[in-house]
Amino acid sequence: LTFRSWMPLQTLPVTALSTAFEYLSTAPGKIGPRMLIAGDGSGRILKLFDSADTDDNGTTISSWVETGWLTLESWEVLRHISLYAKTEGTSITIKVYLDGSETEAGSRTFTRVDNLSNSLFAVDWQNANFQGRAFKLRIEWEKPTTIYGVSLEVHTQRMWGPA
């Protein structure tokens, strides 16, 4: 399936998607690059993309990951977001969605992340101050990137005045 370019829509009768590591005799533990694989109803395993592909026939591939809704019991303030990652790209964007809305409540693009592909880094969004009962994050990037995790600092919203 690797043609180094996006092809027209194809129907693949797969029953499962997973990732696996390629065998690489020269690597520590003989574990090579991660690959995306699919299983079909006939017991076949299909390798969907070549692990060496980092672009679409010369065009950068934009990627993103989105969390599910993080639902809280009361009104909270999302004050601080830390992203732990490494990238070969030049930026990573975090978008925040609130209370079931598909409209973006705010975003921050971190641009001082280039030349960090050999080391782990953390970028911080301090004083984000999003208020709500449910939060969803979308993280977007280009070029090979590894997202290790996201840390959120959430505080209870104080209500002043008569109950």
Side-chain angles (χ1 to χ4, degrees), residues 14-37:
V14 300
T15 57
L17 286 173
S18 186
T19 59
F21 292 96
E22 294 181 18
Y23 173 82
L24 184 60
S25 62
T26 59
K30 301 191 180 345
I31 297 174
R34 187 186 311 250
M35 63 181 156
L36 180 63
I37 59 174

Side-chain angles (χ1 to χ4, degrees), residues 66-83:
E66 195 171 86
T67 68
W69 285 100
L70 308 169
T71 306
L72 307 168
E73 292 185 21
S74 63
W75 283 96
E76 305 284 342
V77 178
L78 174 58
R79 295 204 176 196
H80 189 112
I81 303 170
S82 295
L83 174 68

Side-chain angles (χ1 to χ4, degrees), residues 12 37 61 69 94 96 100 117 126 130 133 151:
L12 296 173
I37 59 174
I61 300 171
W69 285 100
I94 299 176
V96 177
S117 61
Q126 297 181 16
F130 291 102
R133 292 185 69 143
S151 174

Side-chain angles (χ1 to χ4, degrees), residues 44-98:
R44 295 180 297 174
I45 297 176
L46 308 169
K47 181 178 175 182
L48 299 181
F49 300 100
D50 189 320
S51 60
D53 290 344
T54 58
D55 61 38
D56 179 11
N57 201 25
T59 302
T60 300
I61 300 171
S62 298
S63 303
W64 57 271
V65 63
E66 195 171 86
T67 68
W69 285 100
L70 308 169
T71 306
L72 307 168
E73 292 185 21
S74 63
W75 283 96
E76 305 284 342
V77 178
L78 174 58
R79 295 204 176 196
H80 189 112
I81 303 170
S82 295
L83 174 68
Y84 303 93
K86 65 180 183 179
T87 184
E88 293 178 19
T90 58
S91 67
I92 295 177
T93 299
I94 299 176
K95 296 181 177 181
V96 177
Y97 299 86
L98 300 174

